[in-house]
């Protein structure tokens, strides 16, 4: 099949991979356009007074939060939440890459691990991974890329425990490091989970992929973000998986000068410009091509269908 009669953006997003034309079944996943979720597990941040801000936050913010919590905490939440829908809802919407930032809470005597962004999550890592596995049981031909990174407070023992949890939850779904990263080959072998791990421990384990590079522009304006990415594209794409994060960042100056706004306000106001840029992009192996494109509040716009539709350009090349 060298052409597509129905726009790929009109495919059922909960199973878009399994509905891709046969002509794309042998394309390496790192050459497809794949929608991703930046800081995927921030829909369940702990809003209780007993939950501290995470230890990556500036000392000044930690002190202000300690003594002025009722005033400071609403600002933290407004800029820490990047997704509002559960991981199941995000997968149903078409997300196939999840940015997972893992932490052990300070002063926690248990070995439970959580997610974090500004503050810690209420859901444990194991709970969320089990939810993903159950979703994959119902969608066996979809492939999910899980990027474990930004580890905070994890000892070597906790890393070992996390790896054990990953293996126990996903078992035979885990894809080992292999060159045959196409839908056809993964379907044939029954693999549906690719785990990348931002730690040197990954080199010792055949089922852990190395950290996936993430292009982060650290900008609060769409125009500046786009300019940064266009500059990076001139130097060529990485060889394997990589992420272009169209997530904007509100720095302290921006947040203080926009006291009534939230990250969601910033994102929704700039999505039209960002998605216009995304529509101009091309997946594949050529210089300037993109692969995974991750965003915030991914269910609030046509973000996912826009990214999936980019794969039509690969069909035109093969015709």
């Amino acid at each position: 099949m060298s052409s597509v009669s129905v726009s790929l953006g009109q495919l059922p997003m909960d199973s878009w991979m399994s509905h891709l034309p046969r002509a794309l079944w042998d394309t390496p996943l790192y050459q497809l356009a794949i929608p991703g979720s930046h800081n995927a597990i921030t829909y369940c941040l702990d809003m209780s007074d007993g939950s501290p801000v995470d230890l990556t936050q500036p000392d000044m913010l930690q002190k202000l939060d300690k003594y002025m919590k009722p005033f400071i905490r609403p600002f933290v939440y407004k800029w820490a939440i990047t997704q509002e829908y559960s991981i199941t809802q995000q997968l149903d919407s078409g997300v196939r890459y999840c940015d997972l930032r893992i932490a052990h809470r300070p002063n926690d005597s248990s070995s439970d691990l959580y997610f974090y962004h500004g503050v810690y999550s209420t859901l444990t890592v194991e709970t969320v991974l089990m939810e993903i596995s159950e979703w994959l049981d119902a969608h066996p031909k979809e492939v999910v890329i899980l990027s474990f990174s930004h580890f905070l407070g994890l000892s070597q023992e906790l890393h070992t425990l996390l790896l054990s949890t990953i293996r126990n939850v996903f078992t035979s779904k885990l894809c080992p490091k292999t060159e045959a990263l196409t839908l056809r080959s993964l379907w044939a072998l029954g693999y549906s989970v690719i785990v990348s791990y931002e730690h040197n421990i990954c080199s010792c384990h055949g089922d852990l992929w190395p950290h996936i590079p993430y292009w982060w522009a650290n900008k609060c304006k769409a125009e500046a973000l786009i300019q940064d990415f266009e500059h990076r594209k001139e130097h060529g794409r990485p060889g394997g998986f990589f992420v272009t994060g169209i997530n904007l960042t509100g720095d302290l100056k921006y947040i203080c000068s926009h006291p009534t706004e939230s990250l969601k306000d910033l994102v929704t106001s700039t999505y039209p410009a960002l998605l216009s840029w995304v529509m101009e992009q091309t997946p594949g192996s050529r210089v300037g091509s993109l692969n995974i494109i991750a965003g915030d509040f991914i269910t609030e716009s046509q973000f996912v269908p826009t990214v999936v539709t980019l794969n039509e350009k690969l069909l035109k090349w093969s015709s």
Side-chain angles (χ1 to χ4, degrees), residues 55-129:
L55 297 179
T56 67
Q57 299 306 309
D59 290 343
M60 179 60 72
L61 178 60
Q62 294 192 46
K63 291 177 181 177
L64 288 172
D65 181 73
K66 184 176 181 180
Y67 297 108
M68 303 173 64
K69 195 181 297 286
F71 176 74
I72 294 297
R73 222 21 111 78
F75 285 94
V76 173
Y77 293 133
K78 285 198 302 182
W79 293 92
I81 296 172
T82 61
Q83 310 295 340
E84 292 181 324
Y85 288 84
S86 73
I87 193 62
T88 293
Q89 291 170 314
Q90 292 182 52
L91 294 170
D92 279 341
S93 76
V95 161
R96 295 295 177 268
Y97 164 90
C98 298
D99 170 24
L100 307 176
R101 308 192 179 198
I102 312 298
H104 183 253
R105 286 188 177 214
N107 305 316
D108 184 353
S109 59
S110 78
S111 58
D112 290 338
L113 297 177
Y114 296 87
F115 306 93
Y116 74 98
H117 187 227
V119 293
Y120 302 91
S121 64
T122 56
L123 296 178
T124 65
V125 171
E126 183 175 15
T127 298
V128 171
L129 297 188

Side-chain angles (χ1 to χ4, degrees), residues 199-244:
H199 192 278
N200 55 20
I201 197 174
C202 78
S203 62
C204 306
H205 298 272
D207 51 2
L208 296 181
W209 292 72
H211 176 60
I212 296 174
Y214 194 111
W215 287 2
W216 177 51
N218 193 18
K219 306 293 183 184
C220 61
K221 293 185 178 180
E223 296 78 10
L225 180 142
I226 290 170
Q227 184 178 18
D228 181 276
F229 290 154
E230 287 297 331
H231 176 72
R232 295 184 193 225
K233 285 167 56 183
E234 293 175 2
H235 299 280
R237 53 154 295 162
F241 288 117
F242 80 104
V243 184
T244 304

Side-chain angles (χ1 to χ4, degrees), residues 172-190:
S172 61
K173 296 185 182 78
L174 276 179
C175 176
K177 280 180 274 199
T178 171
E179 295 299 316
L181 269 180
T182 67
L183 288 174
R184 191 190 300 274
S185 63
L186 293 176
W187 291 341
L189 295 168

Side-chain angles (χ1 to χ4, degrees), residues 21-38:
R22 286 178 177 270
L24 295 177
W25 292 3
D26 296 308
T27 301
L29 264 61
Y30 48 81
Q31 292 180 14
L32 291 177
I34 298 174
S37 175
H38 168 247

